[in-house]
Amino acid sequence: MDSKLNNQDRVLELGSGYSTLWFCNRVEYICSIEESEAWKTWLEREMAARRQKIKGAVLLGNTKSFLERLRGGQWSVIVIDGSDRMSALDGVISLQRENLPRILIFDDTDKAEYRGVARLVQSLGLYSLFVFRGFKPQTLHACETTVAIRKDRL
């Protein structure tokens, strides 16, 4: 992923966490919408412990907040990892073609309710898909994340 990012990228994220920490020093701006106040507090403590500063904001909100931000800005990277992921994805797909992100990341595509995500994103005809499988923090089984990268903006 490092080779696909640049320091001018703007990231919109539904669901904060380890990905937020990872993006912090790699992009120009990150807006992370977090539904859980406890998880937001954990993230802020973790960032302080790591002496990381976010160039942007971690906001308490929900999918509606995400969709409002989505329509209100230009985002080169969108991460979908919240509780209402399919509504968030529908919001992304409904954007004008020129406003679709260069990179779209959808977490937990190994779960039954998200198995159609790759096919849906591929139907746009704009993205190359990459599926990553492995262990992640707090899980005892292999998980899957699908990363879609625009073919016309490599």
Side-chain angles (χ1 to χ4, degrees):
M1 278 298 299
D2 271 331
S3 66
K4 301 297 180 196
L5 294 173
N6 65 62
N7 60 4
Q8 291 146 8
D9 279 327
R10 294 174 50 80
V11 178
L12 178 61
E13 181 179 46
L14 176 62
S16 63
Y18 290 102
S19 57
T20 312
L21 295 170
W22 189 83
F23 278 115
C24 270
N25 299 318
R26 291 175 167 85
V27 299
E28 177 186 358
Y29 182 86
I30 182 168
C31 179
S32 185
I33 309 293
E34 177 52 51
E35 298 167 294
S36 164
E37 191 163 350
W39 193 246
K40 180 180 180 286
T41 300
W42 172 87
L43 178 63
E44 290 167 344
R45 285 188 190 135
E46 191 67 23
M47 290 174 69
R50 294 175 183 219
R51 293 185 171 89
Q52 282 183 292
K53 289 196 174 200
I54 190 167
K55 295 175 255 173
V58 178
L59 306 171
L60 203 56
N62 55 24
T63 304
K64 183 180 178 191
S65 310
F66 170 85
L67 294 172
E68 288 167 1
R69 293 273 174 174
L70 177 68
R71 289 185 285 271
Q74 286 289 100
W75 305 102
S76 44
V77 180
I78 293 178
V79 180
I80 299 176
D81 188 19
S83 65
D84 192 4
R85 296 173 198 198
M86 295 310 293
S87 293
L89 182 60
D90 288 343
V92 172
I93 289 173
S94 72
L95 292 172
Q96 295 290 328
R97 186 179 181 101
E98 63 272 9
N99 292 332
L100 287 167
R102 191 177 80 254
I103 300 171
L104 176 61
I105 301 169
F106 197 103
D107 200 22
D108 295 325
T109 47
D110 55 304
K111 293 182 178 179
E113 62 264 39
Y114 306 132
R115 289 205 181 116
V117 166
R119 192 171 41 258
L120 187 59
V121 172
Q122 224 166 13
S123 73
L124 297 171
L126 294 173
Y127 291 96
S128 295
L129 298 181
F130 302 90
V131 178
F132 297 92
R133 291 182 183 89
F135 293 94
K136 64 182 184 178
Q138 304 172 344
T139 62
L140 299 174
H141 59 87
C143 299
E144 181 178 285
T145 297
T146 298
V147 177
I149 300 177
R150 282 189 69 151
K151 297 173 191 176
D152 61 340
R153 296 187 189 168
L154 294 174

mmCIF file of all heavy atoms in Angstrom, residues 57-86:
data_model
loop_
_atom_site.group_PDB
_atom_site.id
_atom_site.type_symbol
_atom_site.label_atom_id
_atom_site.label_comp_id
_atom_site.label_asym_id
_atom_site.label_seq_id
_atom_site.Cartn_x
_atom_site.Cartn_y
_atom_site.Cartn_z
ATOM 1 N N ALA A 57 -9.079 14.610 11.655
ATOM 2 C CA ALA A 57 -9.963 14.494 12.807
ATOM 3 C C ALA A 57 -10.496 13.077 12.943
ATOM 4 O O ALA A 57 -10.706 12.378 11.961
ATOM 5 C CB ALA A 57 -11.137 15.451 12.649
ATOM 6 N N VAL A 58 -10.690 12.687 14.207
ATOM 7 C CA VAL A 58 -11.450 11.485 14.519
ATOM 8 C C VAL A 58 -12.745 12.001 15.136
ATOM 9 O O VAL A 58 -12.736 12.645 16.178
ATOM 10 C CB VAL A 58 -10.709 10.558 15.507
ATOM 11 C CG1 VAL A 58 -11.567 9.347 15.848
ATOM 12 C CG2 VAL A 58 -9.363 10.125 14.941
ATOM 13 N N LEU A 59 -13.847 11.755 14.450
ATOM 14 C CA LEU A 59 -15.132 12.302 14.864
ATOM 15 C C LEU A 59 -16.064 11.198 15.321
ATOM 16 O O LEU A 59 -16.075 10.113 14.751
ATOM 17 C CB LEU A 59 -15.783 13.045 13.692
ATOM 18 C CG LEU A 59 -14.951 14.137 13.029
ATOM 19 C CD1 LEU A 59 -15.629 14.622 11.766
ATOM 20 C CD2 LEU A 59 -14.712 15.279 13.991
ATOM 21 N N LEU A 60 -16.831 11.479 16.341
ATOM 22 C CA LEU A 60 -17.864 10.548 16.772
ATOM 23 C C LEU A 60 -19.037 10.723 15.824
ATOM 24 O O LEU A 60 -19.517 11.829 15.614
ATOM 25 C CB LEU A 60 -18.265 10.873 18.217
ATOM 26 C CG LEU A 60 -18.903 9.748 19.018
ATOM 27 C CD1 LEU A 60 -18.025 8.517 19.065
ATOM 28 C CD2 LEU A 60 -19.207 10.224 20.416
ATOM 29 N N GLY A 61 -19.468 9.635 15.199
ATOM 30 C CA GLY A 61 -20.561 9.738 14.244
ATOM 31 C C GLY A 61 -21.005 8.371 13.769
ATOM 32 O O GLY A 61 -20.636 7.353 14.348
ATOM 33 N N ASN A 62 -21.768 8.351 12.684
ATOM 34 C CA ASN A 62 -22.308 7.096 12.151
ATOM 35 C C ASN A 62 -22.237 7.140 10.630
ATOM 36 O O ASN A 62 -21.610 8.027 10.054
ATOM 37 C CB ASN A 62 -23.746 6.892 12.641
ATOM 38 C CG ASN A 62 -24.628 8.084 12.309
ATOM 39 O OD1 ASN A 62 -24.358 8.847 11.391
ATOM 40 N ND2 ASN A 62 -25.691 8.256 13.065
ATOM 41 N N THR A 63 -22.906 6.187 9.997
ATOM 42 C CA THR A 63 -22.868 6.128 8.538
ATOM 43 C C THR A 63 -23.430 7.402 7.924
ATOM 44 O O THR A 63 -22.914 7.881 6.909
ATOM 45 C CB THR A 63 -23.640 4.895 8.031
ATOM 46 O OG1 THR A 63 -23.084 3.736 8.659
ATOM 47 C CG2 THR A 63 -23.542 4.751 6.536
ATOM 48 N N LYS A 64 -24.444 7.990 8.524
ATOM 49 C CA LYS A 64 -24.998 9.247 8.012
ATOM 50 C C LYS A 64 -23.918 10.339 8.015
ATOM 51 O O LYS A 64 -23.787 11.085 7.049
ATOM 52 C CB LYS A 64 -26.203 9.671 8.848
ATOM 53 C CG LYS A 64 -26.875 10.921 8.337
ATOM 54 C CD LYS A 64 -28.066 11.310 9.174
ATOM 55 C CE LYS A 64 -28.667 12.606 8.648
ATOM 56 N NZ LYS A 64 -29.643 13.178 9.526
ATOM 57 N N SER A 65 -23.140 10.420 9.098
ATOM 58 C CA SER A 65 -22.047 11.395 9.177
ATOM 59 C C SER A 65 -21.026 11.142 8.076
ATOM 60 O O SER A 65 -20.504 12.069 7.450
ATOM 61 C CB SER A 65 -21.330 11.298 10.522
ATOM 62 O OG SER A 65 -22.227 11.318 11.589
ATOM 63 N N PHE A 66 -20.718 9.853 7.847
ATOM 64 C CA PHE A 66 -19.781 9.455 6.801
ATOM 65 C C PHE A 66 -20.280 9.924 5.433
ATOM 66 O O PHE A 66 -19.530 10.511 4.656
ATOM 67 C CB PHE A 66 -19.609 7.929 6.829
ATOM 68 C CG PHE A 66 -18.849 7.365 5.667
ATOM 69 C CD1 PHE A 66 -17.461 7.329 5.686
ATOM 70 C CD2 PHE A 66 -19.512 6.842 4.568
ATOM 71 C CE1 PHE A 66 -16.752 6.798 4.620
ATOM 72 C CE2 PHE A 66 -18.819 6.315 3.501
ATOM 73 C CZ PHE A 66 -17.434 6.291 3.521
ATOM 74 N N LEU A 67 -21.559 9.675 5.161
ATOM 75 C CA LEU A 67 -22.127 10.041 3.866
ATOM 76 C C LEU A 67 -22.129 11.552 3.657
ATOM 77 O O LEU A 67 -21.896 12.033 2.552
ATOM 78 C CB LEU A 67 -23.530 9.457 3.714
ATOM 79 C CG LEU A 67 -23.584 7.924 3.640
ATOM 80 C CD1 LEU A 67 -25.031 7.441 3.696
ATOM 81 C CD2 LEU A 67 -22.867 7.404 2.421
ATOM 82 N N GLU A 68 -22.362 12.323 4.717
ATOM 83 C CA GLU A 68 -22.311 13.778 4.624
ATOM 84 C C GLU A 68 -20.899 14.241 4.264
ATOM 85 O O GLU A 68 -20.713 15.113 3.417
ATOM 86 C CB GLU A 68 -22.775 14.415 5.925
ATOM 87 C CG GLU A 68 -24.268 14.279 6.152
ATOM 88 C CD GLU A 68 -24.697 14.632 7.581
ATOM 89 O OE1 GLU A 68 -23.849 14.998 8.414
ATOM 90 O OE2 GLU A 68 -25.909 14.515 7.851
ATOM 91 N N ARG A 69 -19.901 13.661 4.911
ATOM 92 C CA ARG A 69 -18.503 14.005 4.613
ATOM 93 C C ARG A 69 -18.123 13.555 3.201
ATOM 94 O O ARG A 69 -17.387 14.241 2.503
ATOM 95 C CB ARG A 69 -17.552 13.349 5.617
ATOM 96 C CG ARG A 69 -17.663 13.865 7.002
ATOM 97 C CD ARG A 69 -16.781 15.058 7.161
ATOM 98 N NE ARG A 69 -17.023 15.628 8.474
ATOM 99 C CZ ARG A 69 -16.327 16.611 8.972
ATOM 100 N NH1 ARG A 69 -15.357 17.138 8.290
ATOM 101 N NH2 ARG A 69 -16.604 17.084 10.155
ATOM 102 N N LEU A 70 -18.616 12.388 2.827
ATOM 103 C CA LEU A 70 -18.335 11.823 1.512
ATOM 104 C C LEU A 70 -18.741 12.805 0.416
ATOM 105 O O LEU A 70 -17.977 13.083 -0.510
ATOM 106 C CB LEU A 70 -19.081 10.492 1.348
ATOM 107 C CG LEU A 70 -18.970 9.780 0.022
ATOM 108 C CD1 LEU A 70 -17.548 9.284 -0.183
ATOM 109 C CD2 LEU A 70 -19.943 8.602 -0.017
ATOM 110 N N ARG A 71 -19.941 13.342 0.531
ATOM 111 C CA ARG A 71 -20.450 14.261 -0.492
ATOM 112 C C ARG A 71 -19.816 15.648 -0.387
ATOM 113 O O ARG A 71 -19.872 16.418 -1.331
ATOM 114 C CB ARG A 71 -21.973 14.365 -0.375
ATOM 115 C CG ARG A 71 -22.678 13.095 -0.835
ATOM 116 C CD ARG A 71 -24.183 13.259 -0.837
ATOM 117 N NE ARG A 71 -24.759 13.225 0.492
ATOM 118 C CZ ARG A 71 -25.151 12.119 1.118
ATOM 119 N NH1 ARG A 71 -25.021 10.955 0.539
ATOM 120 N NH2 ARG A 71 -25.674 12.169 2.329
ATOM 121 N N GLY A 72 -19.199 15.930 0.747
ATOM 122 C CA GLY A 72 -18.674 17.276 0.968
ATOM 123 C C GLY A 72 -17.206 17.460 0.644
ATOM 124 O O GLY A 72 -16.648 18.510 0.922
ATOM 125 N N GLY A 73 -16.552 16.471 0.072
ATOM 126 C CA GLY A 73 -15.125 16.648 -0.184
ATOM 127 C C GLY A 73 -14.587 15.720 -1.248
ATOM 128 O O GLY A 73 -15.268 14.813 -1.703
ATOM 129 N N GLN A 74 -13.362 15.989 -1.625
ATOM 130 C CA GLN A 74 -12.660 15.136 -2.577
ATOM 131 C C GLN A 74 -11.786 14.175 -1.770
ATOM 132 O O GLN A 74 -10.906 14.615 -1.034
ATOM 133 C CB GLN A 74 -11.787 15.972 -3.502
ATOM 134 C CG GLN A 74 -12.566 16.748 -4.542
ATOM 135 C CD GLN A 74 -13.147 15.821 -5.594
ATOM 136 O OE1 GLN A 74 -14.321 15.477 -5.547
ATOM 137 N NE2 GLN A 74 -12.332 15.410 -6.527
ATOM 138 N N TRP A 75 -12.019 12.895 -1.913
ATOM 139 C CA TRP A 75 -11.305 11.876 -1.150
ATOM 140 C C TRP A 75 -10.572 10.947 -2.102
ATOM 141 O O TRP A 75 -11.184 10.353 -2.981
ATOM 142 C CB TRP A 75 -12.285 11.094 -0.278
ATOM 143 C CG TRP A 75 -13.084 11.994 0.596
ATOM 144 C CD1 TRP A 75 -14.370 12.394 0.405
ATOM 145 C CD2 TRP A 75 -12.643 12.639 1.786
ATOM 146 N NE1 TRP A 75 -14.756 13.255 1.409
ATOM 147 C CE2 TRP A 75 -13.711 13.422 2.271
ATOM 148 C CE3 TRP A 75 -11.441 12.639 2.496
ATOM 149 C CZ2 TRP A 75 -13.620 14.185 3.429
ATOM 150 C CZ3 TRP A 75 -11.346 13.394 3.650
ATOM 151 C CH2 TRP A 75 -12.423 14.155 4.110
ATOM 152 N N SER A 76 -9.275 10.820 -1.922
ATOM 153 C CA SER A 76 -8.505 9.927 -2.786
ATOM 154 C C SER A 76 -8.525 8.494 -2.265
ATOM 155 O O SER A 76 -8.357 7.553 -3.030
ATOM 156 C CB SER A 76 -7.066 10.420 -2.938
ATOM 157 O OG SER A 76 -6.532 10.815 -1.702
ATOM 158 N N VAL A 77 -8.753 8.336 -0.966
ATOM 159 C CA VAL A 77 -8.816 7.004 -0.345
ATOM 160 C C VAL A 77 -10.045 6.949 0.554
ATOM 161 O O VAL A 77 -10.266 7.858 1.360
ATOM 162 C CB VAL A 77 -7.553 6.705 0.502
ATOM 163 C CG1 VAL A 77 -7.629 5.322 1.129
ATOM 164 C CG2 VAL A 77 -6.277 6.857 -0.325
ATOM 165 N N ILE A 78 -10.823 5.879 0.418
ATOM 166 C CA ILE A 78 -11.976 5.680 1.294
ATOM 167 C C ILE A 78 -11.849 4.295 1.924
ATOM 168 O O ILE A 78 -11.619 3.306 1.219
ATOM 169 C CB ILE A 78 -13.307 5.822 0.539
ATOM 170 C CG1 ILE A 78 -13.479 7.281 0.095
ATOM 171 C CG2 ILE A 78 -14.479 5.367 1.412
ATOM 172 C CD1 ILE A 78 -14.736 7.555 -0.698
ATOM 173 N N VAL A 79 -11.990 4.263 3.248
ATOM 174 C CA VAL A 79 -11.920 3.007 4.006
ATOM 175 C C VAL A 79 -13.294 2.763 4.614
ATOM 176 O O VAL A 79 -13.833 3.634 5.303
ATOM 177 C CB VAL A 79 -10.864 3.089 5.137
ATOM 178 C CG1 VAL A 79 -10.800 1.785 5.907
ATOM 179 C CG2 VAL A 79 -9.494 3.463 4.576
ATOM 180 N N ILE A 80 -13.845 1.573 4.366
ATOM 181 C CA ILE A 80 -15.152 1.220 4.915
ATOM 182 C C ILE A 80 -14.974 0.072 5.896
ATOM 183 O O ILE A 80 -14.639 -1.042 5.517
ATOM 184 C CB ILE A 80 -16.147 0.850 3.793
ATOM 185 C CG1 ILE A 80 -16.337 2.051 2.854
ATOM 186 C CG2 ILE A 80 -17.478 0.401 4.393
ATOM 187 C CD1 ILE A 80 -17.233 1.774 1.661
ATOM 188 N N ASP A 81 -15.188 0.403 7.180
ATOM 189 C CA ASP A 81 -14.968 -0.573 8.253
ATOM 190 C C ASP A 81 -15.893 -0.282 9.433
ATOM 191 O O ASP A 81 -15.522 -0.462 10.573
ATOM 192 C CB ASP A 81 -13.492 -0.522 8.687
ATOM 193 C CG ASP A 81 -13.131 -1.617 9.661
ATOM 194 O OD1 ASP A 81 -13.859 -2.616 9.742
ATOM 195 O OD2 ASP A 81 -12.108 -1.471 10.361
ATOM 196 N N GLY A 82 -17.086 0.182 9.185
ATOM 197 C CA GLY A 82 -18.032 0.498 10.250
ATOM 198 C C GLY A 82 -19.164 -0.512 10.291
ATOM 199 O O GLY A 82 -19.141 -1.535 9.606
ATOM 200 N N SER A 83 -20.181 -0.220 11.064
ATOM 201 C CA SER A 83 -21.256 -1.196 11.254
ATOM 202 C C SER A 83 -22.228 -1.268 10.073
ATOM 203 O O SER A 83 -22.768 -2.326 9.786
ATOM 204 C CB SER A 83 -22.026 -0.889 12.540
ATOM 205 O OG SER A 83 -22.677 0.355 12.428
ATOM 206 N N ASP A 84 -22.436 -0.178 9.347
ATOM 207 C CA ASP A 84 -23.383 -0.171 8.235
ATOM 208 C C ASP A 84 -22.613 -0.023 6.921
ATOM 209 O O ASP A 84 -22.785 0.938 6.173
ATOM 210 C CB ASP A 84 -24.392 0.962 8.418
ATOM 211 C CG ASP A 84 -25.576 0.856 7.476
ATOM 212 O OD1 ASP A 84 -25.665 -0.141 6.722
ATOM 213 O OD2 ASP A 84 -26.404 1.774 7.479
ATOM 214 N N ARG A 85 -21.777 -0.981 6.641
ATOM 215 C CA ARG A 85 -20.843 -0.900 5.515
ATOM 216 C C ARG A 85 -21.521 -0.857 4.157
ATOM 217 O O ARG A 85 -21.056 -0.177 3.256
ATOM 218 C CB ARG A 85 -19.872 -2.085 5.569
ATOM 219 C CG ARG A 85 -19.020 -2.040 6.790
ATOM 220 C CD ARG A 85 -18.190 -3.274 6.931
ATOM 221 N NE ARG A 85 -17.757 -3.336 8.322
ATOM 222 C CZ ARG A 85 -16.771 -4.065 8.740
ATOM 223 N NH1 ARG A 85 -16.115 -4.826 7.913
ATOM 224 N NH2 ARG A 85 -16.441 -4.059 10.013
ATOM 225 N N MET A 86 -22.589 -1.614 3.993
ATOM 226 C CA MET A 86 -23.227 -1.653 2.686
ATOM 227 C C MET A 86 -23.857 -0.306 2.332
ATOM 228 O O MET A 86 -23.796 0.122 1.185
ATOM 229 C CB MET A 86 -24.247 -2.790 2.597
ATOM 230 C CG MET A 86 -23.609 -4.174 2.694
ATOM 231 S SD MET A 86 -22.188 -4.447 1.575
ATOM 232 C CE MET A 86 -22.983 -4.412 -0.011
#
